[in-house]
Every structure is written in structure tokens, then in C-alpha cells.
Amino acid sequence: MNLSLYLALGDSITAGYGVGTTFSFPSIYAQFLRRHEPNLLLRNFGVNGLTTGGLLVLLRQNAAVRRYVCQASLITITVGSNDLLQLLRNSSWSFNPAQLSLTLVSMEKTVSQIGEEIRKINPKAILKIGTLYNPLPAGPYARFSSQAQQIIDQVNMMIVAWANRYGGNVANINREFRGKEQQLIGPDFAHPNVIGYQRIARAFSRA
């Protein structure tokens, strides 16, 4: 593998919310990769609260992001959680199946457009996409955990299909976290702690 530029795109998981950029998973993953690629550059464009629609706008309208996509030999993506959070906030934990279905259809369309945009700019880069994990078992909303997991499983199936369609690999973050939420989730009961971000970096290294 000959890597020169690693571009990290995505939401607060990419940004390293709660631990800072130094301990974000892209920084940890880049350190691992530099054992073999000492000159590897990292550009982290993680944005707290980013949705799939927000990522598509970045890819279409941000000149710096487009330039780095073109130059990147490796691209990682974490996105999707905030689309579901918007649905949760609007529903007060009472899911309307029709509303959920519309959200999933919209997400599927948007991630396809993201894939098209990336591959149009750079058809050769290694692309790795992270699955969603369920943080609820670690906190005060644990009683909603199984309900949330069913939805997360649907989104993760979509992510796997998305990765396959655009020549990407899947980083199974969900698998790393399931059953270990208490150890890996931070004090906000949503984002990873330092160990959690290390596990995410491991998932991407294995993808």
C-alpha cells in the first residue's frame, strides 16, 4: 500500500468529540499507518453534527474538501448518526414507522450521491466507511436500546451496501462496541471515550 494523503470525512466521531483532535480515531489510525508510510499526511474534516446531507454539500461546494478528495489515497467516512438523532428529536422516542421509512429512503439516496461524488472526483482512492454503533446501553436511555438497535441495524445494512457499490470497505464499529458500551462510551453517554476512539481506529485498520 502506497499512501500519501489520508482524508477523514464525517461527523463528531471523525472530529473526535469529547477527546480532541489528538485522540480522534483518524489521528490514531494515521499514527498506525505511519509505521509503514512515515510521510503520510492527515487532513481531518470531521464536523460535529454533520448529517449525510451536510456531507454531500461539503463534497459539492467546499473547494478544499474537493481538492483533498482528488489528492487522497485513503478516505474514511463516519456519517448517519445525526440523521437518526434528528428523527429522535422530532419524535420524542416514539417512532412513526412512516417517518422512519422516509428518513431511511432519504439517507439511502444521499449516501449514493456521496459515493457518486467521491468516485467522480477520485475513482482510485481506498474508501473505508464506518458502521453506526448503539450508545444507549451505557446510559439513562438503556430501555430504548433494543428499539434503537433495530434501526441502527437497518442503517448498517445500508452502509454495507453503499460501501460495496462504490468499491469501499466496511469498518465494523458496531461490532467493536456491542456488549462493551460501558467501557467505551464517554460521560455524555453518546460519544466514545479515549479507549472507544482507539477501538474505532482498530476497526478502520482491519477494514
Side-chain angles (χ1 to χ4, degrees), residues 98-127:
Q99 191 178 15
L100 173 61
S101 180
L102 283 172
T103 298
L104 294 176
V105 168
S106 174
M107 286 178 71
E108 189 166 17
K109 179 182 178 182
T110 307
V111 297
S112 291
Q113 291 172 314
I114 290 168
E116 294 285 349
E117 202 67 36
I118 288 173
R119 285 313 188 196
K120 186 167 64 178
I121 302 170
N122 187 335
K124 294 183 179 179
I126 298 167
L127 178 63

Side-chain angles (χ1 to χ4, degrees), residues 45-118:
F45 276 85
V47 179
N48 294 332
L50 192 74
T51 61
T52 54
L55 178 55
L56 182 59
V57 169
L58 264 184
L59 285 166
R60 286 179 169 172
Q61 299 183 8
N62 187 303
V65 169
R66 291 180 66 84
R67 183 171 68 253
Y68 286 128
V69 169
C70 181
Q71 296 170 355
S73 42
L74 169 66
I75 300 169
T76 62
I77 299 175
T78 63
V79 76
S81 296
N82 292 302
D83 298 71
L84 296 183
L85 281 173
Q86 284 185 348
L87 180 65
L88 276 175
R89 290 191 187 106
N90 294 337
S91 63
S92 301
W93 293 97
S94 175
F95 286 102
N96 179 327
Q99 191 178 15
L100 173 61
S101 180
L102 283 172
T103 298
L104 294 176
V105 168
S106 174
M107 286 178 71
E108 189 166 17
K109 179 182 178 182
T110 307
V111 297
S112 291
Q113 291 172 314
I114 290 168
E116 294 285 349
E117 202 67 36
I118 288 173

Side-chain angles (χ1 to χ4, degrees), residues 6 8 13-14 16 23-30 76 78 197 200-201 204:
Y6 165 23
I13 303 303
T14 292
F23 297 102
S24 67
F25 91 78
S27 293
I28 298 166
Y29 185 27
T76 62
T78 63
Y197 281 111
I200 294 173
F204 274 97

Side-chain angles (χ1 to χ4, degrees), residues 14 24 38 41 44 107 132 152 163 166:
T14 292
S24 67
L41 295 175
N44 188 335
M107 286 178 71
L132 307 190
I152 288 167
Y166 294 98

